[in-house]
Amino acid sequence: MVPEECLYTEDHEWVFIEDEIATIGISDYAAGELGDIVYVELPEVDSEIRQTDPVGTIEAVKTVAELFSPISGKVIEVNGDLIDDPEIINRSPYEDGWFIKVKMSDMSELDNLLDHEKYQEFLGESQ
Amino acid sequence: MALKTPIYQSHVDSGGKIVDFAGFMMPVSFEGIVAEHERVRNKVGFFDVSHMGEIEITGESALEFADFAVSNNVSKLDDGQICYTVCCNEKGKVLDDLLVYRFSSSRILFVVNAVNAGKIYQHLLGIQKGDVRIENRSSGYGQIAVQGPASRDLLLGSSFCAPVSAKLAGLGYYRFFTFEHEGSEIILSRTGYTGEVGYEIYLPWDMTASVWDLLLEEGGEYGAAPIGLGARDTLRFEPCYCLYGHEIDEDTSPLEAGLSWVVKLKKDDFVGRGALVAEKEAGSGRKLIGLELQGRGIPRQGYNVLHDGKVVGKVTSGTFSPTLKKGLAMALVERSLPKDASGLAVEIRNRPVSAARARMPFYASHVND
């Protein structure tokens, strides 16, 4: 995924849309702030999730953070590689470090997200 | 207003991620907690501990007063020796844990946690007796900790320690000496909080940054780099050293926290002794145990510890151990919990994750290497 082509939440998730399939991860900013990620909990395949719901947990050495879903839909794939090697998220937040793929149920929800430029502005303001 | 240590600017220049800690702007990490942790375990790292509090007790009755203020036996120390101890209130609960440096029977230094420096200073004034002068010297002392297997070689090779290399080479664990540098007294002790061989250097606040920069530069060939508070905590956690606000606080007695080895009930009176004698006779309500998660997840401070589904205590410190590569915890639990209890769990986000007793310390310290 190319960061410039993703949409973002203010909770630092990114989502990349291809057809009606959303791939979801966390931004390099979030991965950097969390530091060494040592454990993740992911939702189950086929579970229905809703926009802004907590759907996973990300544990770093010193902190724990929740993954909030940027969109609603049905989970069709989870990235099993993260279970054994969660550090992938630190190494490659936009590529190998994706969390889940979701079949979207409401494309209009994308209007609630930030594009890359707006997200960069948001990061600038929040620092 | 957040305070800055004399090394603050260097932390920023080194790329440190800065957080507010005990009112100070401190670096939580530089290259990442795990990398910094491994650097100290395998090589050597520098810690800015200038935020720690120093309280000096001088006068004819200094030794006697120090013995009254803390639980360990200060009068049994040699001059130039240090002990770890706790300062209790009348109820036998822990006001702080601290190091006591004995210069002589008329000069003693207490090194206390940053967050407690003001509280302990006031407490000491409140229990003051005899011919003593109690001074809060916290803003006068900067402090640098050099920790890791290469710490001795690094300091022996430094220009800063060159004039005292013979003394340094022969310095035993929990011993210290002083020397003069640019007209000021420097205290160099073989102490630390990581489980590795290490040293701590106390120096005038205004001199601290220049010595830090010098040691950092000269230490490059030993693999030295600055280490943040994040790794400081994981490093102290693995050898199961207590931390104020976690294993010990004003609701916890040192006996519960496994610190009976620093509580000398047989010595003359000290603050909290009566309560601790009574507790020892009656048996403490809780005990500190180690836990290893068997399921997946990371135990954190405050999480419930369950035994057969019933809450029996709380995690006091828990983390992913960078050395042992698993989720470990220290926990204060009901004393009645059997030693060989099975059916233990830590409640992580409302979900019990099975756990087993783990022997403490989790990591055998190398302080005597």
Side-chain angles (χ1 to χ4, degrees), chain A residues 32-36 38-39 41 57 59-64 66 83-84, chain B residues 17 32-35 230 233-234 296-298 300 303 319-320 348-349 351:
Chain A
E33 285 296 296
L34 284 167
D36 307 298
V38 292
Y39 174 66
E41 280 172 18
T57 306
E59 301 250 19
V61 174
K62 291 300 295 175
T63 48
V64 52
E66 279 186 303
I83 301 298
D84 293 323
Chain B
K17 200 182 282 182
I33 293 174
V34 172
D233 190 48
T234 54
R296 302 186 68 92
I298 313 290
R300 307 277 183 187
Y303 288 4
T319 189
F320 174 82
I348 301 181
R349 292 179 288 279
R351 186 170 55 91

Side-chain angles (χ1 to χ4, degrees), chain B residues 143-182:
Chain B
Q143 196 189 340
I144 300 167
V146 187
Q147 303 281 305
S151 58
R152 184 183 295 120
D153 286 343
L154 184 155
L155 288 177
L156 285 171
S158 71
S159 54
F160 179 70
C161 293
V164 292
S165 57
K167 271 188 174 175
L168 176 66
L171 189 64
Y173 185 51
Y174 266 56
R175 302 270 174 174
F176 73 98
F177 63 85
T178 63
F179 64 101
E180 206 179 284
H181 178 77
E182 294 174 0

Side-chain angles (χ1 to χ4, degrees), chain B residues 184-247:
Chain B
S184 295
E185 183 193 69
I186 309 292
I187 305 167
L188 206 167
S189 64
R190 190 168 155 196
T191 46
Y193 203 46
T194 60
E196 302 301 331
V197 173
Y199 299 85
E200 292 179 301
I201 307 166
Y202 300 77
L203 56 186
W205 190 264
D206 293 338
M207 189 188 282
T208 310
S210 63
V211 173
W212 172 273
D213 290 342
L214 174 75
L215 289 174
L216 199 55
E217 194 191 320
E218 294 183 343
E221 62 177 290
Y222 300 90
I227 309 296
L229 292 174
R232 179 168 158 83
D233 190 48
T234 54
L235 288 159
R236 76 90 199 167
F237 170 79
E238 288 178 343
C240 293
Y241 296 155
C242 287
L243 179 61
Y244 190 85
H246 290 253
E247 286 67 41

Side-chain angles (χ1 to χ4, degrees), chain B residues 35-65:
Chain B
E36 291 164 41
H37 182 105
E38 287 170 354
R39 184 181 293 279
V40 175
R41 286 273 178 263
N42 300 314
K43 293 176 185 161
V44 56
F46 289 108
F47 301 75
D48 176 10
V49 275
S50 302
H51 60 308
M52 300 290 286
E54 292 86 8
I55 298 168
E56 193 165 61
I57 296 157
T58 50
E60 195 72 4
S61 314
L63 181 61
E64 207 177 313
F65 175 71

